[in-house]
Amino acid sequence: MNKRYSIFSLARNAYTRHEDWQEAWRSPAPKARYDAVIIGGGGHGLATAYYLAKLHGMTNIAVVERGWLGGGNTGRNTTIVRSNYLWDESAAIYEHAMKLWEGLSRELNYNVMFSQRGVLNLAHSPSDMREVQRRVYANRLNGIDSEILNAQQVKEFCPQIDLRGGGRYPVVGASLQRRGGTARHDAVAWGYARAADALGVDIIQECPVHGIKVVDGKVRGIETARGYIETPKVGIVVAGHSSVLAEMAGFRLPVQSMPLQALVSEPVKPTLDCVVMSGAVHAYVSQSDKGELVIGAGVDHYIGYGQRGSQQVPEETISAICELFPIFRRMRMMRQWGGIVDTCPDASPIIGKTPVEGIYINCGWGTGGFKATPGSGWVFAHTVACDEPHPLNAPFSLDRYRTGYLIDEHGAAAVAH
Ligand code: FAD
Ligand code: PYC
């Protein structure tokens, strides 16, 4: 057995407060120059760096993060993964991500705890049900597993649901994606970080970017709290701060940044073995491996950068959850937080080139980008390395807001925004 991991080594490390544990990734000082810099050390930024190094041979690159890895929306989301989007363009990119999820722990040699426990999207009215049917048929045409359940089948799949929904939210049916589920969010950031670092990528934390140098319409470098870094390519992957970074480079984005809240209960024994979402009720719930109910809401409808949110939104979400799941009524909530989500007018992301040569943008995932993490990093790495979008992300250009070729996914986004 490798000495480092022997039982004695574990005991010794416990006494020394793990001081001689090997770091999972280095903490290098920034170099004066890189071939590319990715701004934002969330899942999408780290995945981009990993695929840049692994698939495109770009290893003289850095990820620059203002705080700690995964401290943005990556570590704050409710971890739901699915690919049941309406339009062909979305189905293709989210299903590409789903296929990468299915091999991700092996790819990274890191357990991201991907659990395909099934995702239910509830319908509460005949018009909800028509939307469910339309999306399921569209999913099937795109080769995505998706089923229509009637109320009785919902009850069989998830017996904890009270189909009467407290009278306010009767359940008339649902869509079910069995390959959907959850993954451990921070493990995704750490897994990509460790694998990217092993390929030579510099991961630089606590290093906010506060300026982007553009000369004659072309990027030259970035100003950071740890000095100027020269680079011909910059990938901006900062979620709720996308418009702030775009402003530094002198262009505008059709993005609004709003708080989205989640909360977890005290841990209890396993009771809920699937994911339940309701777009109409603005609530979604699953149970973590620790036993906590993980619950999320719709967005707080104001623009802001505080990672908190207002009190009435979780209150309404909890009251809806209690009506759908009377079994959870006496559970206590332990923690609540917010993340800043970057919402686009058509509830679809922007992944591509910008008006500044050498600057690429990956944003607008709004309330639903966690599920896309591997696919987003994969296509964005292609875009940065090749200076042109991959066919999977070509439809998600910034230019679509000029041409009018919008990809409206408000229904499939399933979380009000
Ligand atoms: P982030 O993880 O936010 O990473 C961006 C990083 O950029 C941050 O770490 C930030 O510190 C950094 N940064 C910002 N400004 C600067 C700067 N000036 N210099 C350097 N670094 C900077 N999606 C799903 O698919 N399923 C869900 O169940 C789900 N639930 C959600 C629940 C909540 C409460 C929230 C808030 C979001 C949820 N989402 C969900 C959305 C999902 O979390 C995001 O779309 C996704 O995590 C975005 O990843 P990212 O890497 O782009 O962003
Ligand atoms: O997009 O599936 C989703 C989602 C679930 C919770 C927040 N977003």
Side-chain angles (χ1 to χ4, degrees):
M1 183 193 241
N2 182 337
K3 187 161 161 273
R4 178 172 289 280
Y5 298 111
S6 71
I7 187 90
F8 301 111
S9 159
L10 282 176
R12 195 174 56 249
N13 276 304
Y15 276 113
T16 60
R17 296 170 183 261
H18 304 191
E19 270 165 11
D20 51 356
W21 271 20
Q22 198 181 357
E23 283 183 342
W25 53 84
R26 299 162 297 127
S27 297
K31 292 186 205 164
R33 187 188 184 286
Y34 288 99
D35 295 338
V37 173
I38 302 301
I39 306 176
H44 290 225
L46 293 162
T48 304
Y50 171 71
Y51 293 117
L52 273 171
K54 172 92 190 283
L55 303 179
H56 302 279
M58 290 186 69
T59 51
N60 181 34
I61 63 174
V63 176
V64 177
E65 163 57 45
R66 73 173 184 160
W68 64 94
L69 301 188
N73 293 343
T74 296
R76 292 167 183 272
N77 71 76
T78 48
T79 79
I80 299 173
V81 175
R82 57 190 173 86
S83 61
N84 53 355
Y85 279 69
L86 178 66
W87 297 105
D88 295 352
E89 296 84 348
S90 322
I93 196 165
Y94 286 105
E95 180 58 18
H96 178 61
M98 178 67 90
K99 294 207 169 92
L100 291 173
W101 277 114
E102 288 173 334
L104 196 59
S105 292
R106 184 184 293 250
E107 167 79 21
L108 301 178
N109 187 25
Y110 202 101
N111 188 358
V112 299
M113 297 166 78
F114 183 45
S115 162
Q116 292 178 292
R117 58 184 71 177
V119 176
L120 282 176
N121 286 91
L122 300 181
H124 301 282
S125 65
S127 68
D128 274 2
M129 204 57 205
R130 272 194 295 278
E131 202 277 327
V132 158
Q133 286 163 341
R134 180 176 181 218
R135 195 140 55 83
V136 168
Y137 298 145
N139 291 160
R140 289 203 195 147
L141 287 173
N142 278 310
I144 294 170
D145 69 303
S146 199
E147 296 166 39
I148 299 168
L149 303 191
N150 62 29
Q152 200 45 47
Q153 290 167 319
V154 170
K155 186 75 182 164
E156 279 158 23
F157 190 75
C158 183
Q160 297 84 349
I161 294 185
D162 178 356
L163 294 179
R164 290 165 302 169
R168 269 208 296 178
Y169 305 118
V171 176
V172 300
S175 70
L176 168 63
Q177 184 175 24
R178 291 183 194 270
R179 285 162 65 238
T182 58
R184 170 81 193 267
H185 47 20
D186 36 20
V188 175
W190 301 334
Y192 272 119
R194 190 178 73 162
D197 172 87
L199 294 170
V201 175
D202 281 359
I203 295 169
I204 302 159
Q205 299 181 74
E206 297 183 329
C207 185
V209 172
H210 46 70
I212 299 181
K213 186 173 174 190
V214 176
V215 178
D216 297 332
K218 200 170 167 176
V219 70
R220 301 298 162 115
I222 57 172
E223 302 283 357
T224 80
R226 295 173 69 181
Y228 179 72
I229 300 175
E230 187 188 332
T231 182
K233 288 182 187 243
V234 172
I236 300 176
V237 202
V238 294
H241 288 80
S242 300
S243 43
V244 178
L245 270 289
E247 193 178 10
M248 290 179 196
F251 62 93
R252 297 190 70 195
L253 293 171
V255 164
Q256 292 188 318
S257 295
M258 300 179 196
L260 179 67
Q261 299 189 56
L263 58 167
V264 291
S265 71
E266 60 188 329
V268 289
K269 287 192 172 173
T271 172
L272 183 65
D273 64 359
C274 63
V275 180
V276 182
M277 302 185 67
S278 166
V281 166
H282 309 317
Y284 32 100
V285 58
S286 64
Q287 188 173 19
S288 76
D289 295 326
K290 254 199 279 180
E292 300 162 333
L293 292 182
V294 181
I295 294 171
V299 292
D300 278 58
H301 279 281
Y302 58 86
I303 292 169
Y305 291 91
Q307 290 169 315
R308 288 181 301 274
S310 55
Q311 209 173 354
Q312 84 273 9
V313 169
E315 202 178 320
E316 281 165 17
T317 298
I318 290 294
S319 85
I321 292 282
C322 289
E323 288 176 62
L324 281 169
F325 295 93
I327 188 178
F328 297 150
R329 273 196 181 144
R330 281 166 44 213
M331 286 185 68
R332 284 168 297 188
M333 294 297 133
M334 301 293 274
R335 296 190 306 281
Q336 166 277 345
W337 63 89
I340 306 305
V341 296
D342 41 337
T343 59
C344 279
D346 56 354
S348 283
I350 301 168
I351 324 162
K353 297 173 82 161
T354 70
V356 178
E357 198 181 325
I359 299 188
Y360 309 88
I361 186 87
N362 184 340
C363 71
W365 292 96
T367 60
F370 177 67
K371 67 176 78 63
T373 305
S376 158
W378 196 95
V379 297
F380 197 47
H382 176 103
T383 308
V384 173
C386 306
D387 192 37
E388 62 179 18
H390 186 274
L392 282 172
N393 66 305
F396 296 95
S397 69
L398 180 55
D399 204 37
R400 74 178 187 274
Y401 296 100
R402 192 182 55 78
T403 61
Y405 195 90
L406 302 185
I407 305 166
D408 195 320
E409 289 289 1
H410 278 99
V415 176
H417 66 282

